[in-house]
């Protein structure tokens, strides 16, 4: 019986560079109020959101991803030809096949990398980061590009008072590469499919195609149920990620949760008892909920504004439709 040669990868993996792209159009709450019976004060108090970005027809999932990817690759100090894998997390690319990752890989100038899409909602970046880490350590790619990208404005029901104000568009990307020391901790991830109805697409594409419904599919959610789950259950997952990394909240420099809602973020900070020195990402205020793109976009902004620094220890956690979640501790690039 022949013996298979073991994989020859790096001992560890790290995030080497980060990049982001926000559409040029900024949409204030006043625009949302044209189609729902609410107020700017109510939207801010319930979500913390004041503005969000909506993509133009030219700012496609591919175009936004290419922009974010270019910045991440430059930040990592490598060339596109060195990218051996492209992982794209999105729920708003409307072609079932081929994977948009293949188109993005070609447009950035990568040299025949593995390329595939994943659908894990707001936890998608964490899922992609974990897969990329495995590819680098296993040896199937030296550098992997992970992209979270959404055009959620295409899936927003502007007459749904519970969700019309929540969603935004954008793309965030990171390059994952080899490291000599641990820089991406163990991932605590999972799913709770019994709660899948709390965040979902309103109807199937086939229902719209067949004329069963005349309204284009959108994302809807049970706000209170999602809030309770995120605040109580995800704080536990975040703590498990700290434990798995062998650190405590006091060892953190930065906390980057999924940018779903300011109240959820503040409640998690309180439940985790994060010290005052920990910088907390609150990008949701001006970017809205961009699902898979929210964590890398928030990470990029913290680094660009100097609120976080290279080498800082950060806890990242994503959670959303499925219900799915993923949390890990990383060293910032």
């Amino acid at each position: 019986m022949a013996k298979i040669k073991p994989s020859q990868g790096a001992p560890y993996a790290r995030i080497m560079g980060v990049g982001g792209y926000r559409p040029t159009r900024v949409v204030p709450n006043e625009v949302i109020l044209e189609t729902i019976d609410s107020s700017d004060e109510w939207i801010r108090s319930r979500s913390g959101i004041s503005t969000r970005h909506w993509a133009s027809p030219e700012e496609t999932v591919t175009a936004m991803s290419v922009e974010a990817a270019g910045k991440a690759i430059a930040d990592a100090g490598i060339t596109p030809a060195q990218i051996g894998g492209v992982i794209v997390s999105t729920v708003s690319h409307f072609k079932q096949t081929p994977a948009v990752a293949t188109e993005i890989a070609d447009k950035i100038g990568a040299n025949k990398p593995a390329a595939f899409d994943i659908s894990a909602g707001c936890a998608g970046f964490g899922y992609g980061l974990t897969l990329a880490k495995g590819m680098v350590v296993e040896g199937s790619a030296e550098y992997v590009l992970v992209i979270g990208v959404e055009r959620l404005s295409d899936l927003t029901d502007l007459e749904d008072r519970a969700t019309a104000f929540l969603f935004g568009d954008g793309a965030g990307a990171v390059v994952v590469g080899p490291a000599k020391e641990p820089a991406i901790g163990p991932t605590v991830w999972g799913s709770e499919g019994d709660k899948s109805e709390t965040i979902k697409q309103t109807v199937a594409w086939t229902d719209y195609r067949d004329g069963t419904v005349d309204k284009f599919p959108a994302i809807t959610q049970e706000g209170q149920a999602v809030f309770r789950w995120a605040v109580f259950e995800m704080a536990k997952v975040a703590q498990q990620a700290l434990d798995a990394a062998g650190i405590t909240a006091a060892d953190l420099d930065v906390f980057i949760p999924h940018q779903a809602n300011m109240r959820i973020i503040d409640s998690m900070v309180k439940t985790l008892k994060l010290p005052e020195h920990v910088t907390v990402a609150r990008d949701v205020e001006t970017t809205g909920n961009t699902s898979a793109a929210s964590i890398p976009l928030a990470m990029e902004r913290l680094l660009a504004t100097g609120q976080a620094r290279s080498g800082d220890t950060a806890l990242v956690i994503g959670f959303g439709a499925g219900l799915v979640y993923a949390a890990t501790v990383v060293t910032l690039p």
Side-chain angles (χ1 to χ4, degrees), residues 252-256 299 312-316 328-332:
L252 285 176
D253 300 302
V254 185
F255 178 44
I256 312 177
M299 182 184 295
D312 279 354
T313 299
L315 169 63
V316 299
T328 189
V329 174
V330 303
T331 301
L332 294 183

Side-chain angles (χ1 to χ4, degrees), residues 4-333:
I4 298 174
K5 183 179 179 180
S7 300
Q8 299 294 319
Y12 305 104
R14 66 186 178 102
I15 299 174
M16 299 180 60
V18 60
Y21 180 82
R22 292 172 173 81
T24 55
R25 182 187 177 192
V26 177
V27 180
N29 289 337
E30 286 72 20
V31 172
I32 307 298
L33 296 174
E34 294 173 2
T35 52
I36 61 170
D37 181 17
S38 187
S39 68
D40 177 65
E41 181 183 2
W42 187 88
I43 292 174
R44 289 173 184 262
S45 65
R46 300 290 290 184
S47 67
I49 298 172
S50 60
T51 62
R52 72 284 293 146
H53 295 255
W54 283 356
S56 68
E58 294 76 25
E59 291 170 315
T60 63
V61 164
T62 298
M64 292 190 294
S65 296
V66 169
E67 289 292 330
K71 294 175 183 177
I73 292 169
D75 192 42
I78 64 170
T79 67
Q82 291 176 275
I83 297 292
V86 177
I87 303 172
V88 178
S89 179
T90 185
V91 299
S92 48
H93 175 61
F94 295 142
K95 287 185 179 179
Q96 194 71 33
T97 191
V100 72
T102 58
E103 181 182 0
I104 294 166
D106 177 64
K107 287 187 178 296
I108 65 173
N111 184 24
K112 299 180 181 180
F116 57 95
D117 299 350
I118 58 174
S119 177
C122 304
F125 175 75
Y127 275 52
L129 183 65
T130 302
L131 294 172
K133 171 188 173 184
M135 292 167 69
V136 171
V137 172
E138 187 269 342
S140 59
E142 185 175 12
Y143 301 102
V144 181
L145 178 67
V146 180
I147 301 171
V149 56
E150 301 292 2
R151 273 182 56 118
L152 293 182
S153 57
D154 291 333
L155 286 169
T156 298
D157 180 355
L158 293 177
E159 297 178 348
D160 181 355
R161 190 173 185 270
T163 61
F165 57 90
L166 286 176
F167 302 121
D169 303 336
V174 300
V175 171
V176 177
K180 295 180 179 180
E181 297 179 351
I184 302 175
T187 299
V188 177
W189 57 354
S191 65
E192 297 186 35
D194 61 316
K195 300 179 180 66
S196 61
E197 292 295 301
T198 56
I199 307 174
K200 63 180 182 179
Q201 184 172 304
T202 49
V203 295
W205 301 115
T206 49
D207 291 338
Y208 183 73
R209 178 200 66 189
D210 297 340
T212 306
V213 296
D214 58 8
K215 199 168 187 177
F216 193 75
I219 297 174
T220 187
Q221 69 176 30
E222 298 173 14
Q224 286 300 317
V226 173
F227 180 86
R228 288 193 297 269
W229 176 78
V231 169
F232 296 108
E233 296 304 318
M234 290 306 96
K236 297 176 186 176
V237 171
Q239 183 60 55
Q240 290 169 14
L242 290 174
D243 295 341
I247 66 172
T248 68
D251 298 316
L252 285 176
D253 300 302
V254 185
F255 178 44
I256 312 177
H258 165 48
Q259 301 294 293
N261 179 304
M262 195 75 78
R263 291 170 62 215
I264 291 175
I265 294 171
D266 290 340
S267 294
M268 290 184 70
V269 168
K270 184 177 180 180
T271 302
L272 288 168
K273 299 179 180 178
L274 295 185
E276 290 187 5
H277 75 263
V278 176
T279 297
V280 179
R282 291 189 170 88
D283 192 44
V284 66
E285 180 181 359
T286 56
T287 305
N289 180 344
T290 55
S291 189
S294 79
I295 290 175
L297 277 174
M299 182 184 295
E300 186 250 5
R301 175 161 282 175
L302 288 176
L303 289 166
T305 58
Q307 297 177 72
R309 297 176 297 177
S310 174
D312 279 354
T313 299
L315 169 63
V316 299
I317 179 169
F319 44 85
L323 294 168
V324 294
Y325 55 88
T328 189
V329 174
V330 303
T331 301
L332 294 183

